[in-house]
Structure formats: structure tokens, C-alpha cells
Amino acid sequence: MPKRAGAQSELRHRNLSLVLRALAAGDNLSRASIAAEVGLTRATVSTLVDELLAAGLLEERGAQRPGTVGRPGTALALAATGPAGIGAEIGIDHLAACVVDLRGDVRCRTEAPAANRGRPAAAVLAELAELTAQVGKEAAAMELRPVGTTVAVPGLVSPDRGTVLRAPNLGWEEVAVAESMGPGATLVENEANLGALAELWLGGHDRLADFVHVSAEIGIGAALIVEGRLFRGARGFAGELGHVPVRPEGPLCSCGAHGCLETFAGEEALLRSAGVGTPRALRAAAESGDPAAIGALEEAGKALGIALSGAVNLLDPQAVVVGGPLADLAPWLLPGVRAELASRVTDRQWRPEDLVTSRLGRDGVLRGAAYSAVRPVLEAPANWLRR
Amino acid sequence: MPKRAGAQSELRHRNLSLVLRALAAGDNLSRASIAAEVGLTRATVSTLVDELLAAGLLEERGAQRPGTVGRPGTALALAATGPAGIGAEIGIDHLAACVVDLRGDVRCRTEAPAANRGRPAAAVLAELAELTAQVGKEAAAMELRPVGTTVAVPGLVSPDRGTVLRAPNLGWEEVAVAESMGPGATLVENEANLGALAELWLGGHDRLADFVHVSAEIGIGAALIVEGRLFRGARGFAGELGHVPVRPEGPLCSCGAHGCLETFAGEEALLRSAGVGTPRALRAAAESGDPAAIGALEEAGKALGIALSGAVNLLDPQAVVVGGPLADLAPWLLPGVRAELASRVTDRQWRPEDLVTSRLGRDGVLRGAAYSAVRPVLEAPANWLRR
């Protein structure tokens, strides 16, 4: 009965993935606590765990911490060797690459300054491929086996075709990124989307599955996570918080409209209004109490809060997470965001603590890229087990 | 092997639903065209169709229209007798009830003027139950068998508990609607949500599965359809377009915030700014060319367009559908909406025709309520077949 065997094997793979994902969410679980978590019998979980240990996807860590009732179980964790993901990031003024293991931990990382604005895409991608080759080699020396690479781009991408459709800040139109990165599976994804996915997978939140994630480098990037998945919209353009109108008769935006959030809280507007040249200088000025810098950040926070109030009223997320470079400016930016949300999101339970600062810092996008390349092993371990 | 039999029966029910939903989307299909549509063999479809005919869920309509190649098949349609749904609507100044058949056609309908603002909920619900009993009786006389009732409410509901949590325009807090409606399955749903679902199911659109639906009576109601499902948000509050900030320093809104869309385009604001007393008078004034009425509608359209631009930039829907009483005002309202969308949604393909006026008219909500009660028969016919 091949049909029935097929169904059983499908069920087995689903259960293997359940066990792996339980360990991704909480380290150092015993077989018994995994069974309780995923709702399978202890015996079934033991069989699955044995298979995953044999395949090198799990490792044992000795007896679980005491304090639990009965004989202590052996603590299990995702393997620190074996499947890994390579992340690559194309910034306006830098390139970076890293490798994460199955746990999402960064195992090696490299970065190079680069003036990418207007630079030929081929040159950018050739340099990026060198960086990924370099971290790939370092990973191999640590018994890690990269299963794919994800390239993070500040622009609009077609994940299906592996291309960048448009990245105005780089000056790119229709660039075949995946193709240029050489052999091996390469995904291409928008950086704001990867920042949000990193938050979902690695942000350390407890069951946070519906949120708006805002980050900013040159523009304002936002992405929506809905029911634990990236919300792309009908044509892949969802999440453009930067072009939500904040003051409809406000300054002209690069997009051609007036008063978009970016004209108040985008990096260019912020630096101009603070009278400084770089984000680093802005932070330093704010730290030293400079009134222009603090005033600029407060106004930007207010504009961000107005746009986010609209988003929360429309989408009713569990939380708003501020990440990326914006998180560094949280002390000056967030009070305005919080005040606008409090006064404009009035007809539901919105609590101040629903506005969250990311703990991933500036590496969120890069880690998200790398982890998105290896995460499929957790979600569909069959492909790895067949190798 | 009961397990395998169970899986086969599940598969059969899924296929029965596929056939029913193909006929809900396009009437008068032959067995062969259904097979082509749903991707099953002609023989399988014939067996399924025979079962559905025997259960009274389908009817034959004689030979299909000529012009198709080969022997003409027998045209099939969803039955005009059998399962039906009752819709009930609680408005500020009226109550209504109707019955739709499996096709979504309204088979009987009744309406009563009522001053529901501040009236005791028990009195409102008792009168509503009388109306639904009346249409239920009329339906029975037409060989229709209502399988449930859905009550549409202008407020926030808990569909799970069958209660209205808050309906400020009625003066309701925590009203157990389902319980008060007597025996039979009663669902309670927000009117804006039902308007959007009506558009999805009965709006006559071809494969429109991602859209923002805007309607208005007293407030501005909006609802989001994503991948063919109602998007409720994490806590059920999604779709509050009326409280998206349009001009952050604008007039004080009833919600306590400043410059919400409702302060520019809600009924109260519109009537005040046009200097008329009722929506009917507003329409008449606009039709007669009254500059105050036309100006008020143009301004409201602009505000609506600003808020919708934000929604489109965030959500990237296929379309924006304007329905409910707003659709009556489309000639004066839509130019402003269209102009704002054109100038503020700039970084994607947004076409003027992506702004659509509903063809359902004022009965959209009521029809959506009734159809939502019978639609489960199409989605899970097993429950009906077992009766």
C-alpha cells in the first residue's frame, strides 16, 4: 500500500519538524517535556529524537537541570554543527556576510565598507560573493554545512525569480542577484522583511506572532508578521509605512507625494533637521543633550507614532517592534511614538508595553537572512535527512 | 481499516465542497466544465454531482447553452430550495431580516423602522427575533430550510461568545445577542465585516481575494479581506479605518484623538459641513448641484483617499471597494479618493480601476449576514448530508 506508507512518512516528517521547532523555541528540553509541548506520546518523541540525533540535527547535553520532579531527563538541543545558513547584506555603505547554525547563533561574520550607491551591480555582487565564500570556508572548518544563502537588499525584490526589481538607493533596476551569486541555493529578500522575520524567529519573544516591525536606515522600512508569517500583500509591496501620509500637505517626498512619514522620520530628514551629518553624530549629539538633535528625534518619534497609530488601528497587531538602527535612538524617539499611540489607539486594549524595542540590534537583518536559509531544515527536515 | 476509510471520506467531503464552490462562483456549469475547473476527473465529478443532486444541494437545468464543442452537457446550478441562511440587521434607525438560498439570492426580506439608539437591548432583540421568525416562516413555505442566523451589529463583537462587546451608537455594552435570539444557531458579527464578506462572496468580482472594503453609516466601517478570508487582527479590532489619523492636529474625534478620518468623512461631519440633516438630503443637494454639499463630499473624498492611501501602502491589496451607503455618494466622493490614491500610492502598480464601487448597494450587509449563515454548507457539506 504505497499510498498509506506515503501518508505515514509525511506524518513522521511533520512530527520530526514539530520536535525540531519545539527545541528552536526552547533549548534544553527533555524528551518528556518535548512530548508535553507538542502533544505526542513520550515513546513517539523518543523514536523521533533518536532519528534526529543520528542525523546530527540534535545533540544531548547531559542531565537536565534539577528541580523537576522524578528522574532528570537528558537535556536536548539543536546541533551546533551540521546544517547552517549564510546571510549576506547589501547596505548603502557596507557589505556583510555571516553564518548561523541551526540555533540561529552567529558562528562567523565579516563586513567590508563599500560605497555601493551607484556602483555597478556586478561589482557589488562579486565582492559579496567573495565575502560569502569566505564565511562559508570558516563555517566548514567548524563542521557546519551551509544549505543556502539569503541576500538582504534595501529594495523591492522578486523572491520567486531571485531578482531585485528596484533599489533606488543603490540605483538598481532588475538585477538578477541569485544568478550572480554562483552555485548553491540563493534567496533574495527585502531587508525590512528579513528584519521582521529575525524578530519573529530569534527576537526572544514569547508567542509573538502578529506584529508590525519598523526599522530604518536610509528609508523607513517596515514589515508585517501575521499569524507567524510574513505578510507580503497581493503583489508583494506590503509594509510601506514610510509612505503613509502623516501630514498630507507636508514636505515633498522622494516618492512624489507630500507629507509621507519618510519626510519627517527618514534618515535624511532627521539629519537635516538635527543639523548633523551621520546617524552616529546624531546619536552623539542627542547623548550630549544637544537641543536640535533631541528636538529632531522627538518630532520624528511623533510622526512615526502617527503613522503607526494608523497601522495599529487598521491591523490590530499584538505589538509594534522597533528594530534596526532606529533601536539605537529609542531613548529619544520612543516617547513620541508611545504618546501618539496612547492618544490615537483608543478603542482597544493598547498597552504601553505593546511597543517593544528589538534586542537584536543592527545585526537583525543579517541574522534574519542567514537563519532564513537554514530554517527550512527545521520546517521540512525530510530534505536534509535524505541527503 | 477505519483510518483509511476516514481519510477517504474526508477526501470525498473536500471534493463535494470543491464542486459546490465551483458552482457558487459560476452558475450553469456542466459536469465536464466543473471537472476542468476543479482538477478532478469527469468520472469523479459525475459521482459527486449525483450525490449532491440526491441530497438536494444541486439541480439540473437542461442542456447547457450551445456554442461549446461536442455534445452539450447538462447545466447544473446550486439548489434554490433546501439549505438557506437568515440574516438580521440591527441599524441605528431600523431592523431588517432576510433569507438567502444556497446561491445567495434574497428570497424574502422584511424591514421595520426603529429608534434603536439608547433603546433597551432586550426590546430590540425581541423585535428582531420576531422579524427573523417571520422570514423563517416565509422561507419554509418556499421549501427552504434555514440552517442558521447571523446578526449584523454596528459595533464590536465577540463572534466566539455570540455577544456584542460594545456598540456606542446603540448604547450597548456586553449584550448576549445569540442567547437572546432563541433556539437555532445564531452568529453575531460586525456589520463592516459582513459587508466585506458579502463583497467577497456575492460581489460578482472575478478572483478578488485581497481587498479593503469601506462602508459608512454613522461611522466609517472598513474591513480587510486577505487571501479570501476576513482579517480580524490579533484581538479582533482590525479594520478601524475611521480612526486612522488624516490630519493629526484636526478636529477632536469621538474616540478622543484628533483628526481621525471620521472627523472629515463620518456621516455627522459630512452632514454638518454640507448643512443638511440626513444622508438622503445630502444626496439630493449634491444631485441638484448645491455647492456646499458638493464641496463637503469632495473634502470627505479627499480625506478618505488620504486614509486609504496609507492602508494601500501598508497592505498592498488588489483593490479598494467602496460599499454600503457610501456607494450612493460615489459620483461626488470618488474623484477625491481616486486623486489621493493616484498621487500617494506611487511605488507600485496602482491603477484607477483598482478603486471599485460595490454593486451590492445598501443590502450588502444584510445579504452578507444571511449568506454567512448558509455558506458553511458549501464549505463543509458533510454536516448537511448527515442530517
Side-chain angles (χ1 to χ4, degrees):
Chain A
M1 282 185 303
K3 210 163 184 178
R4 192 153 180 222
Q8 283 204 339
S9 141
E10 204 181 287
L11 186 67
R12 197 186 105 244
H13 286 135
R14 206 162 54 205
N15 288 340
L16 288 169
S17 173
L18 275 179
V19 170
L20 287 169
R21 282 179 289 144
L23 282 161
D27 237 8
N28 289 327
L29 300 175
S30 69
R31 288 163 176 79
S33 41
I34 294 171
E37 176 73 25
V38 303
L40 297 170
T41 66
R42 165 74 210 258
T44 304
V45 168
S46 280
T47 311
L48 297 165
V49 162
D50 288 344
E51 187 173 356
L52 294 169
L53 283 167
L57 293 178
L58 297 188
E59 56 187 53
E60 288 187 315
R61 289 211 169 155
Q64 212 183 13
R65 65 185 183 289
T68 47
V69 176
R71 196 168 60 87
T74 308
L76 294 159
L78 295 176
T81 54
I86 299 181
E89 188 177 14
I90 303 176
I92 303 305
D93 49 19
H94 79 286
L95 296 173
C98 81
V99 174
V100 303
D101 57 26
L102 210 46
R103 302 169 184 174
D105 291 340
V106 176
R107 303 294 297 279
C108 56
R109 185 188 189 290
T110 184
E111 186 168 340
N116 291 329
R117 207 192 279 271
R119 186 176 169 207
V124 174
L125 293 170
E127 193 182 339
L128 192 67
E130 271 173 42
L131 296 185
T132 56
Q134 182 191 325
V135 292
K137 239 179 257 173
E138 288 177 47
M142 289 183 278
E143 291 179 66
L144 288 164
R145 288 170 57 189
V147 295
T149 302
T150 300
V151 181
V153 185
L156 189 71
V157 305
S158 165
D160 296 342
R161 291 163 47 215
T163 58
V164 172
L165 300 173
R166 208 164 65 242
N169 290 320
L170 294 171
W172 288 15
E173 295 249 356
E174 284 292 341
V175 175
V177 171
E179 213 177 281
S180 313
M181 290 291 290
T186 300
L187 297 172
V188 181
E189 185 54 277
N190 170 268
E191 57 175 21
N193 289 348
L194 290 168
L197 287 169
E199 205 62 43
L200 173 70
W201 292 324
L202 307 168
H205 305 286
D206 187 25
R207 293 171 208 275
L208 182 63
D210 293 81
F211 60 91
V212 176
H213 184 263
V214 202
S215 57
E217 190 161 357
I218 299 295
I220 299 273
L224 316 175
I225 299 291
V226 173
E227 294 177 6
R229 287 165 52 211
L230 184 66
F231 182 91
R232 293 185 185 274
R235 301 183 185 92
F237 294 79
E240 276 290 0
L241 189 76
H243 299 290
V244 165
V246 168
R247 300 182 195 279
E249 279 81 36
L252 183 67
C253 180
S254 64
C255 78
H258 280 267
C260 300
L261 173 60
E262 261 186 41
T263 66
F264 300 102
E267 189 178 286
E268 206 182 300
L270 243 176
L271 297 182
R272 194 183 332 104
S273 137
V276 294
T278 64
R280 194 177 299 247
L282 176 60
R283 193 186 148 89
E287 274 179 335
S288 72
D290 177 71
I294 291 174
L297 284 165
E298 283 175 354
E299 278 306 301
K302 194 174 166 188
L304 187 54
I306 292 168
L308 283 171
S309 297
V312 170
N313 279 317
L314 276 173
L315 296 167
D316 186 26
Q318 290 171 278
V320 169
V321 184
V322 175
L326 273 186
D328 283 352
L329 300 166
W332 304 278
L333 212 50
L334 289 205
V337 177
R338 195 165 278 125
E340 293 299 324
L341 283 167
S343 72
R344 296 183 186 279
V345 181
T346 55
D347 64 345
R348 73 195 64 196
Q349 323 155 259
W350 179 262
R351 306 163 307 171
E353 60 266 40
D354 295 336
L355 177 67
V356 177
T357 308
S358 170
R359 279 168 274 175
L360 295 176
R362 289 181 169 260
D363 255 2
V365 168
L366 186 62
R367 265 181 86 187
Y371 192 63
S372 75
V374 70
R375 174 106 190 152
V377 174
L378 299 183
E379 281 165 2
N383 296 332
W384 174 263
L385 299 176
R386 269 198 295 268
R387 282 159 80 112
Chain B
M1 282 185 298
K3 206 162 185 178
R4 194 158 177 214
Q8 281 203 340
S9 144
E10 202 181 289
L11 186 67
R12 196 186 107 245
H13 287 135
R14 203 160 58 202
N15 288 340
L16 287 168
S17 173
L18 274 178
V19 170
L20 288 169
R21 282 178 290 144
L23 282 160
D27 237 6
N28 290 327
L29 300 175
S30 69
R31 289 164 175 80
S33 40
I34 293 170
E37 176 72 26
V38 303
L40 297 170
T41 66
R42 166 73 210 260
T44 303
V45 167
S46 280
T47 311
L48 296 165
V49 162
D50 289 344
E51 185 173 357
L52 294 168
L53 284 166
L57 293 178
L58 296 188
E59 57 187 52
E60 288 187 314
R61 289 211 168 153
Q64 213 184 14
R65 66 184 184 289
T68 49
V69 177
R71 197 168 60 88
T74 309
L76 295 159
L78 295 176
T81 53
I86 300 181
E89 187 177 14
I90 303 176
I92 303 304
D93 49 19
H94 80 287
L95 296 173
C98 83
V99 174
V100 304
D101 58 24
L102 211 46
R103 302 168 184 176
D105 290 342
V106 177
R107 303 295 296 281
C108 56
R109 184 188 191 289
T110 184
E111 184 168 340
N116 290 329
R117 206 192 280 268
R119 185 177 170 206
V124 175
L125 293 171
E127 192 182 340
L128 192 66
E130 272 173 41
L131 297 185
T132 58
Q134 182 191 325
V135 294
K137 243 180 254 174
E138 288 177 47
M142 290 184 276
E143 291 180 64
L144 288 165
R145 287 171 58 189
V147 294
T149 302
T150 300
V151 181
V153 184
L156 188 71
V157 305
S158 165
D160 296 341
R161 289 163 48 214
T163 59
V164 171
L165 300 174
R166 206 165 65 240
N169 290 318
L170 295 172
W172 288 15
E173 294 249 356
E174 284 291 340
V175 175
V177 171
E179 213 178 280
S180 313
M181 291 291 289
T186 299
L187 297 172
V188 181
E189 185 54 277
N190 170 269
E191 59 175 20
N193 289 348
L194 290 168
L197 287 169
E199 206 61 42
L200 172 71
W201 291 325
L202 307 168
H205 305 286
D206 187 25
R207 292 169 208 276
L208 181 62
D210 293 82
F211 59 91
V212 177
H213 185 262
V214 202
S215 57
E217 191 161 355
I218 300 295
I220 299 273
L224 316 175
I225 300 290
V226 172
E227 293 177 7
R229 287 165 53 210
L230 183 64
F231 182 91
R232 294 186 185 274
R235 301 183 186 93
F237 294 80
E240 278 288 1
L241 190 75
H243 299 290
V244 165
V246 167
R247 298 181 196 280
E249 277 83 36
L252 183 66
C253 180
S254 65
C255 77
H258 280 268
C260 299
L261 173 61
E262 261 186 42
T263 66
F264 301 102
E267 189 178 285
E268 205 183 300
L270 245 175
L271 297 181
R272 194 182 333 108
S273 135
V276 295
T278 65
R280 195 177 299 245
L282 176 61
R283 193 187 148 89
E287 274 178 337
S288 72
D290 177 71
I294 292 175
L297 285 165
E298 283 174 355
E299 278 305 301
K302 196 175 164 185
L304 187 54
I306 292 168
L308 283 170
S309 297
V312 170
N313 280 318
L314 275 174
L315 296 168
D316 185 28
Q318 290 171 279
V320 169
V321 184
V322 175
L326 273 186
D328 283 353
L329 300 166
W332 305 279
L333 212 50
L334 289 205
V337 178
R338 195 166 278 126
E340 293 298 325
L341 283 167
S343 72
R344 298 185 184 278
V345 182
T346 56
D347 63 345
R348 72 193 67 193
Q349 322 155 259
W350 179 262
R351 306 163 309 170
E353 60 266 37
D354 295 336
L355 176 67
V356 177
T357 308
S358 171
R359 279 168 274 174
L360 295 176
R362 287 180 172 263
D363 257 1
V365 169
L366 186 61
R367 265 181 86 188
Y371 191 64
S372 74
V374 70
R375 173 106 192 153
V377 175
L378 299 182
E379 282 166 1
N383 296 333
W384 174 264
L385 299 175
R386 269 199 293 268
R387 282 160 81 111

